[in-house]
Amino acid sequence: MSRSLWKGPFVDGYLLKKADAARSSGRHEMIRIWSRRSTILPQFVGLTFGVYNGQKHVPVIVTEEMVGHKFGEFAPTRSFYGHSSDRKAKRAALPGAPGAAPAEGAASAPAAPSGGTS
């Protein structure tokens, strides 16, 4: 469910203070934040935020296309390593692997002659 428009975007207060301080100082350091729920505002464009994902701070460089989204959308909390069944299928497809089908052209059982009886 989205937030009501009359309330406006949610941004933690300390985040605005840190962004204003970084912009006024002119230094381009990563601003470490823990507020994944805060909305990205237009005054954050061009700044680099380190968004905490539960393990480390993921650097997020804010662009104009990100305005209106949440910081948490750009710092994934889970790592997807693929499906285990895909790895098993790849392993079985390799030649010489146990359970692999014989390669085409290999000498196997002779093919039955085709044709009708006359």
Side-chain angles (χ1 to χ4, degrees):
M1 180 182 264
S2 62
R3 185 172 165 89
S4 297
L5 288 177
W6 64 269
K7 290 183 182 179
F10 175 82
V11 180
D12 276 328
Y14 79 92
L15 192 57
L16 289 170
K17 292 176 189 174
K18 283 186 175 185
D20 288 339
R23 191 165 294 283
S24 64
S25 70
R27 294 192 296 183
H28 295 287
E29 293 180 353
M30 183 171 70
I31 303 167
R32 292 174 29 159
I33 62 170
W34 285 261
S35 178
R36 299 171 55 86
R37 61 187 183 165
S38 293
T39 305
I40 297 174
L41 299 178
Q43 57 255 38
F44 297 159
V45 173
L47 298 176
T48 303
F49 291 90
V51 183
Y52 193 65
N53 70 352
Q55 185 176 11
K56 63 180 183 175
H57 287 87
V58 178
V60 175
I61 300 170
V62 178
T63 61
E64 289 185 20
E65 292 82 28
M66 295 179 180
V67 173
H69 291 267
K70 305 284 186 178
F71 278 109
E73 295 180 46
F74 304 103
T77 57
R78 298 182 178 129
S79 300
F80 178 70
Y81 296 111
H83 298 289
S84 62
S85 61
D86 290 345
R87 286 192 292 268
K88 289 177 188 174
K90 280 184 185 176
R91 209 171 338 154
L94 294 175
E104 289 186 35
S108 60
S114 61
T117 56
S118 35

